[in-house]
Structures are given as structure tokens and as C-alpha cells.
Amino acid sequence: MKRVYDPARATRERLLVLEQREKTRAEARQVGDGVAESVHLARRRGAAFEKPSAGHSGRETPYRRMTGLDWLMKKGRITGAQAQAGERYGAVYRRAEAGPKIGSTLEVQPGFADPGGPPLTFVLAQAEGRRQAEAQLGRYRERLMGQADLIAACDLVCGRELTPREAAGAEREAGRLEAVLKVALDLLLAPAR
């Protein structure tokens, strides 16, 4: 059976396609507006974002949230060596703070009670890695002479990866936090005693 061309049907199908395209574009605009609003609000709280250029494709590129150390480096407020010291501190901080601690009950039997759970060797390896990170973090904090302001600056900017403005909440306090952080990073760079 040969299909007969029906102009009314072809017009309806074209209209449906155009309607679907417009609906898709409207949804994309709403998502884009939501992202822009979220980025704007986060910037007002002190977060820093980077938006790579679209390049030749012309397509919208995603935002990338900058860490505090990235932002300070980009602004030329810390050196590369200070940033590396901060990165080392941050990696150890995040490892020491990561994941749930091992439970204190003798009932915990990973891999046995829950067949899909991690094997005991994996849980123990994670706990050992966390313990080593906690010990290294303690050594870093000793190099900071146990000073609460120096430790807090490193925890917030290096460990939690906040910009000084996000961590401090206001420009004046952000400047103070940045100055304290620079001193802390210099101490972390100094050879261990």
C-alpha cells in the first residue's frame, strides 16, 4: 500500500517537531538561568568560579569552582611553592577527615553481615591510611606551632578548599585570614626541625 502525501498531516508533524525543539530550548534556558543564579549567590558568599572559553564549538561551557589556593595563585597572592605546601596539607587534611570511623562494636563484620559490603582487609587498609594521615596532619600542625589561627586558616583554605572570603564571611576578615594563611604556608615550607 502506497502512502499518500497528506499536507495537513505533514504540517502537524512539523509543528510537533518545532514545538518539541522550543520546549527543549526553554528547559535549557531555565537550567542555564538556575545555574547562573546559583553561581551568582555563591560568588556573593565569596566563592570563586572559572569559566573556560567556549573555543571553536561555540557551546556553553560549564563553570568550575576554584579552590582557595587556586584563587590565591591566580591573583598572584601566593607563590607556587606556597600553593604546593597548601595542597599537601589539604590532601592530608581531607584524608584524615574522610569517611566514617570504624565502629566500636564487636558486631561489625564487613563483608560477612552484608555480602555486598567491603572486605575486612579493605576497611582495615582505609583505617590505616586515615591513621597515617592523622599522624601527618599532627606533624604539620606541630610545624604551625599549635597556633589555632594558623591551623584554622590551613584547615579552611587548604583542607576545605574555601576562598578566604568564603571562610571569613567579609572582606576585612578575609584579608586577615589571607595574611595568616601566608605565614602558615611559609612555616609549612620551612624545613622540619
Side-chain angles (χ1 to χ4, degrees):
M1 184 167 135
K2 190 173 185 179
R3 188 171 167 185
V4 179
Y5 176 72
D6 181 3
R9 180 182 174 142
T11 302
R12 281 192 308 271
E13 288 174 355
R14 249 183 304 197
L15 286 174
L16 284 174
V17 168
L18 292 173
E19 193 175 290
Q20 184 60 37
R21 280 185 194 159
E22 185 53 39
K23 184 178 176 183
T24 302
R25 287 182 183 134
E27 288 173 358
R29 278 192 300 273
Q30 286 177 335
V31 168
D33 291 346
V35 168
E37 181 181 9
S38 296
V39 167
H40 173 73
L41 291 172
R43 279 187 173 141
R44 298 270 317 244
R45 289 190 299 271
F49 291 88
E50 194 172 54
K51 186 160 172 97
S53 64
H56 297 293
S57 68
R59 294 185 61 174
E60 189 71 21
T61 58
Y63 288 92
R64 184 181 79 80
R65 186 181 183 288
M66 295 175 69
T67 67
L69 292 172
D70 287 343
W71 184 82
L72 289 167
M73 273 288 292
K74 185 175 181 180
K75 295 292 183 180
R77 296 186 177 164
I78 61 173
T79 66
Q82 287 172 318
Q84 288 176 350
E87 287 293 335
R88 285 190 299 272
Y89 184 96
V92 169
Y93 174 89
R94 287 185 295 279
R95 177 66 192 249
E97 299 293 318
K101 309 295 186 215
I102 292 180
S104 63
T105 178
L106 295 176
E107 297 284 326
V108 175
Q109 295 181 354
F112 298 112
D114 178 15
L120 183 59
T121 55
F122 178 76
V123 172
L124 292 174
Q126 276 189 320
E128 178 60 21
R130 193 169 27 257
R131 187 197 63 75
Q132 289 174 357
E134 288 168 352
Q136 180 63 39
L137 186 61
R139 288 190 291 277
Y140 282 152
R141 288 177 173 175
E142 283 175 13
R143 291 173 80 177
L144 298 174
M145 297 172 276
Q147 294 293 315
D149 286 347
L150 298 174
I151 292 170
C154 285
D155 287 355
L156 292 169
V157 178
C158 304
R160 294 186 52 208
E161 299 181 321
L162 301 174
T163 64
R165 173 94 193 316
E166 277 180 296
E171 287 302 319
R172 184 175 181 170
E173 289 79 19
R176 180 185 172 282
L177 178 66
E178 191 177 316
V180 170
L181 178 68
K182 287 179 191 180
V183 170
L185 293 175
D186 285 339
L187 289 172
L188 291 173
L189 279 174
R193 297 181 214 175

